[in-house]
Amino acid sequence: MENSTRFVKDFLMKNKADFERISEYIFNHPETRFEEYASSEFLSAECEKEGFSVERGVADIETAFVASYGSGSPVIGFLGEFDALSGLSQEPNKTWYEPKSHDVGHGCGHNLLGTGAFAAACVTKKYLEENNLQGTVKFFGCPGEEGGSGKTFMVREGVFDGVDVALTWHPSPANAIMSLSSLANYQVYFKFKGISSHAANSPHLGRSALDAVELMNIGVNYLREHVMPEARMHYAVTNTGGISPNVVQANAEVLYLVRAPKVKQVDEIFKRVCKIAEGAALMTETELTIEFDKACSNYIPNRSLEKILFKNLQEAGVEQPTQDEVAYAKEIWSSLTEGEKSSYVKLISGFGYSGSGSEFSGKYLSDSISSYNETDEILAGSTDVSDVSWVVPTAQVTASTSTLGTPLHTWQMTSQGISSYAHKGMLRAAESMALTAVQLLTNQSDLATVKQEFEAFKDNHPYTCPIPKDVQPSKLR
């Protein structure tokens, strides 16, 4: 393994500037779910430059693609994301809130995520070439993770069929194996149609769709006491029916995101939410339309693969931050609320960190690797990586790219998105994944152990895609 470690490190350092350039391009072209036209095409072109063959528009999603190299088994897949978030525009490398002219920003670090996975694919491809090995490397360009469940649609259409192992990562303030499961979810629109009328002259002739939305929300709020404590029900009113208070609102809409540890539990809660919506429609004499938007399953960790990935994360190691990086992190830390500062250990525990946080005393950046924690705990969030994990043995690593305490989906996370520290973390993740891929390509017994664990799970847990066949990916409204 020593020779492969040197090979991977040398390749990443030699091409460091190129990978940073790619990350910066995606950062500077932020696009929301299923509209990642610039990022998708840019990454596809970079794949072709590296000698991959690229299939664009897979799963009937314009911005989804698969880049492939090699032939035969094993087939190692790397999952790359590149979508951004609305409302998180931010000038990079600032220690204060300073949005750009547009509204979209990489507040979850997917510019790093996509580039790091691509870098790992490039190293693995090069290793196959140099050593004349049999095997296939696939880089999956996965759009719409943020609120779109792009990978779930891709799984439904068979895009990951034939893949032996899938590897990915996520930026965070920690260095660890993401060994937790996650919450499954449904995202659904509830649309109410009423009758408009003059709110003063003839209110009795109107039927308010906005009243129906409000009554539904009140009903769901009462439901919260009567569902399992791990469940979550979020909503956003996406159409209030207009801005004229003297008009009875004829159309209104609310978007619900229902989460629970298992898809079956989500479905049970969703059906109760539907009954509340039907009741609101009856009370207001409005018409109700329910439109399924997307869903994802709970994540299934593969412990055998995680242990290999952990060993290679340790092999990659953590480069100590520079004085400038520490000074910048200190300023970011100062911008956080007291609540964010006091809960930073809980935040990184959601990424697989296992410890008290004592090793971070007086520090602002993680300079260590958390011990591997095989846990039954559940991440209080969701990811479409989960559906890949139901059909392919999957493991995830996280690498420190931001100041301790930095919550995802904040301007602080966006601001740190192309910092030198973030790019170090990106390449650390790439190295860990590439070393794991090389180990699986060259050690059939390790691969067999990973697949045996997965097959044992699959035999007792058949997969059903949580997104109905007739539902298609939709862009952000």
Side-chain angles (χ1 to χ4, degrees), residues 13 16 316-322 325 366-367 421 424 428:
M13 287 310 299
K16 176 175 178 285
V318 180
E319 185 177 348
Q320 294 299 300
T322 65
E325 288 167 347
S366 174
D367 56 2
Y421 184 77
K424 287 178 183 177
R428 184 180 315 125

Side-chain angles (χ1 to χ4, degrees), residues 182-185 228 230-232 258-263 265-266 269 298 378:
S182 61
L183 296 176
N185 72 40
M228 60 192 309
E230 298 87 354
R232 299 287 185 272
V258 180
R259 307 187 206 240
K262 309 288 185 186
V263 171
Q265 295 162 338
V266 174
I269 296 169
N298 52 297
I378 299 171

Side-chain angles (χ1 to χ4, degrees), residues 112-129:
L112 300 164
L113 198 168
T115 307
F118 170 65
C122 290
V123 184
T124 308
K125 170 190 174 291
K126 192 67 174 178
Y127 192 86
L128 276 178
E129 285 180 310

Side-chain angles (χ1 to χ4, degrees), residues 95-142:
T95 57
W96 59 88
Y97 177 54
E98 186 177 326
K100 294 186 175 184
S101 57
H102 54 74
D103 183 52
V104 182
H106 275 284
C108 207
H110 290 184
N111 62 299
L112 300 164
L113 198 168
T115 307
F118 170 65
C122 290
V123 184
T124 308
K125 170 190 174 291
K126 192 67 174 178
Y127 192 86
L128 276 178
E129 285 180 310
E130 293 288 321
N131 293 277
N132 197 28
L133 296 174
Q134 177 175 302
T136 305
V137 182
K138 291 189 176 232
F139 174 65
F140 293 90
C142 304

Side-chain angles (χ1 to χ4, degrees), residues 129-411:
E129 285 180 310
E130 293 288 321
N131 293 277
N132 197 28
L133 296 174
Q134 177 175 302
T136 305
V137 182
K138 291 189 176 232
F139 174 65
F140 293 90
C142 304
E145 190 276 336
E146 298 289 1
S149 289
K151 295 183 200 65
T152 310
F153 285 103
M154 293 167 75
V155 169
R156 189 185 70 180
E157 301 306 317
V159 172
F160 299 98
D161 291 355
V163 177
D164 290 297
V165 164
L167 298 167
T168 190
W169 77 291
H170 203 289
S172 83
N175 299 292
I177 299 302
M178 297 173 68
S179 57
L180 288 74
S181 185
S182 61
L183 296 176
N185 72 40
Y186 285 3
Q187 187 159 285
V188 184
Y189 287 96
F190 294 86
K191 301 178 179 181
F192 295 90
K193 181 176 177 56
I195 301 172
S196 63
S197 190
H198 194 292
N201 181 264
S202 54
H204 58 292
L205 299 178
R207 298 294 183 266
S208 173
L210 182 58
D211 284 354
V213 166
E214 291 189 283
L215 285 166
M216 178 186 172
N217 292 342
I218 291 168
V220 173
N221 284 335
Y222 278 106
L223 177 64
R224 295 178 194 280
E225 184 182 358
H226 306 289
V227 296
M228 60 192 309
E230 298 87 354
R232 299 287 185 272
M233 292 176 284
H234 323 288
Y235 66 85
V237 179
T238 49
N239 179 11
T240 60
I243 59 172
S244 299
N246 61 337
V247 176
V248 175
Q249 294 89 348
N251 293 282
E253 174 186 279
V254 61
L255 177 63
Y256 266 80
L257 177 59
V258 180
R259 307 187 206 240
K262 309 288 185 186
V263 171
K264 182 180 178 182
Q265 295 162 338
V266 174
D267 192 66
E268 290 170 353
I269 296 169
F270 166 67
K271 287 173 180 173
R272 297 175 72 183
V273 171
C274 288
K275 289 178 181 178
I276 292 170
E278 290 164 3
L282 284 171
M283 284 187 283
T284 54
E285 295 186 273
T286 55
E287 298 174 11
L288 169 65
T289 301
I290 299 174
E291 184 180 304
F292 202 102
D293 184 44
K294 68 96 182 180
C296 64
S297 304
N298 52 297
Y299 179 69
I300 307 300
N302 186 290
R303 303 306 186 189
S304 301
L305 185 55
E306 286 180 345
K307 289 171 185 174
I308 296 171
L309 186 58
F310 175 64
K311 178 179 72 71
N312 288 309
L313 174 60
Q314 291 179 308
E315 187 73 24
V318 180
E319 185 177 348
Q320 294 299 300
T322 65
Q323 289 185 344
D324 287 344
E325 288 167 347
V326 171
Y328 176 54
K330 183 178 180 180
E331 290 297 314
I332 291 290
W333 173 266
S334 298
S335 75
L336 302 176
T337 67
E338 290 306 312
E340 290 166 340
K341 292 175 182 177
S342 64
S343 62
Y344 81 89
V345 174
K346 182 178 180 181
L347 186 155
I348 58 178
S349 295
F351 286 91
Y353 169 79
S354 58
S356 65
S358 58
E359 70 267 38
F360 301 128
S361 178
K363 298 179 181 179
Y364 303 100
L365 295 167
S366 174
D367 56 2
S368 60
I369 295 169
S370 172
S371 59
Y372 173 62
N373 182 27
E374 188 174 320
T375 177
D376 293 327
E377 292 185 20
I378 299 171
L379 170 68
S382 307
T383 171
D384 59 5
V385 174
S386 300
D387 289 275
V388 179
S389 74
W390 278 81
V391 298
V392 178
T394 303
Q396 304 180 93
V397 64
T398 187
S400 177
T401 61
S402 56
T403 302
L404 290 166
T406 305
L408 276 62
H409 298 193
T410 60
W411 69 260

